[in-house]
């Protein structure tokens, strides 16, 4: 399985309006998406191994690398440069050439800027053929306007909260970090996924304590 790396950061959580929201995702939290949410939730690993995945807020590839363990190809892009790669603003109404040249993308999976989470989801639902997965703070599920504009017209297939904390630190990956913030994966079926495969009701699927099993020393090197 291969990954196509294009670096950069994201956009913001509770900072200045123009601040870049770079909170690297611990790789074990991405593996948890595959192992405890998608597998058994309507997809199999052998299916994913044939799919192309796009990570549109890839930062320094902390999510791209574990995704590449499962998908045939992972394309990483971002709006801010953290290395030698293509830059792309995901919310622009066009696809970067590297994405247009590939089949799909079947999946769009990312940890979006909190401030732009709704826009990222709506854009992803226009593009991904198989599925959309977004790592969000559980607080993202709140809000009358977001409920009316996003969750009512586009109910997620699954809401998958972590039962243990996923520590994220601004600007770096820190194995020893702690946090009081709770996170969950939200999953939508893509625009070409057969509706007969899935229930029309949102399912709650807890992600069990799995950091010890899914974390690797090389994730932090």
């Amino acid at each position: 399985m291969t990954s196509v790396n294009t670096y950069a950061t994201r956009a913001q959580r509770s900072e200045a309006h123009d601040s870049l929201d770079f909170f690297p995702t611990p790789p074990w939290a991405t593996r948890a998406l595959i192992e405890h949410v998608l597998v058994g939730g309507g997809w199999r690993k052998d299916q994913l191994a044939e799919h192309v995945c796009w990570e549109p807020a890839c930062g320094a590839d902390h999510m791209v690398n574990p995704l590449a363990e499962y998908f045939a190809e992972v394309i990483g892009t971002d709006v801010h440069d953290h290395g030698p790669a293509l830059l792309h603003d995901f919310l622009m109404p066009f696809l970067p050439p590297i994405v247009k040249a590939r089949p799909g993308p079947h999946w769009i999976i990312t940890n979006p800027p909190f401030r732009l989470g709704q826009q990222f989801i709506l854009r992803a639902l226009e593009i991904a053929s198989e599925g959309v997965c977004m790592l969000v703070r559980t607080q993202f599920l709140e809000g009358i306007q977001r409920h009316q504009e996003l969750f009512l017209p586009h109910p997620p297939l699954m809401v998958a909260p972590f039962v243990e904390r996923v520590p994220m630190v601004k600007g770096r990956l820190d194995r020893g970090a702690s946090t009081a913030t709770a996170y969950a994966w939200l999953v939508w079926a893509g625009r070409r996924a057969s509706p007969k495969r899935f229930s029309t009701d949102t399912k709650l699927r807890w992600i069990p304590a799995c950091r010890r099993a899914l974390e690797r020393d090389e994730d932090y090197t």
Side-chain angles (χ1 to χ4, degrees):
M1 300 182 186
T2 60
S3 63
V4 179
N5 301 328
T6 51
Y7 300 88
T9 13
R10 307 199 246 302
Q12 138 151 358
R13 302 196 180 204
S14 56
E15 308 175 34
H17 180 74
D18 59 352
S19 172
L20 289 169
D21 185 23
F22 183 32
F23 286 75
T25 304
W28 69 267
T30 301
R31 296 186 186 107
L33 166 69
I34 310 299
E35 301 288 347
H36 295 291
V37 182
L38 298 187
V39 173
W43 293 274
R44 303 189 311 269
K45 286 185 180 180
D46 63 308
Q47 293 174 315
L48 302 181
E50 298 178 353
H51 290 168
V52 173
C53 177
W54 182 10
E55 213 286 47
C58 70
D61 276 1
H62 295 105
M63 189 175 286
V64 166
N65 292 332
L67 288 174
E69 299 167 8
Y70 300 96
F71 290 93
E73 183 175 23
V74 181
I75 301 168
T77 66
D78 209 317
V79 71
H80 182 75
D81 189 5
H82 276 274
L86 169 71
L87 302 181
H88 179 73
D89 185 341
F90 182 64
L91 298 181
M92 291 294 100
F94 57 88
L95 301 179
I98 198 169
V99 173
K100 292 177 67 175
R102 304 298 196 276
H106 302 96
W107 291 86
I108 293 179
I109 300 176
T110 194
N111 175 357
F114 186 83
R115 179 175 61 87
L116 299 175
Q118 179 170 318
Q119 294 96 311
F120 262 64
I121 292 165
L122 292 174
R123 176 64 174 152
L125 289 172
E126 295 175 350
I127 300 169
S129 62
E130 189 66 25
V132 170
C133 305
M134 296 282 166
L135 181 61
V136 300
R137 293 188 289 180
T138 55
Q139 179 188 353
F140 187 80
L141 296 169
E142 303 172 353
I144 295 173
Q145 184 175 354
R146 187 176 294 124
H147 177 250
Q148 293 175 338
E149 296 178 356
L150 176 62
F151 293 126
L152 273 180
H154 306 285
L157 178 68
M158 288 182 281
V159 174
F162 286 86
V163 302
E164 61 187 328
R165 291 292 190 249
V166 181
M168 299 191 206
V169 178
K170 182 179 179 181
R172 70 185 192 280
L173 194 65
D174 186 348
R175 192 173 194 171
S178 61
T179 183
T181 303
Y183 287 89
W185 280 105
L186 306 185
V187 179
W188 286 264
R191 55 188 175 83
R192 294 183 183 175
S194 171
K196 295 180 180 180
R197 290 173 52 195
F198 306 109
S199 168
T200 56
D201 296 325
T202 300
K203 294 181 179 179
L204 180 63
R205 190 179 184 93
W206 281 278
I207 299 175
C210 58
R211 176 175 179 174
R212 182 173 297 180
L214 298 178
E215 192 171 49
R216 302 172 185 172
D217 292 339
E218 56 268 28
D219 292 338
Y220 300 92
T221 58

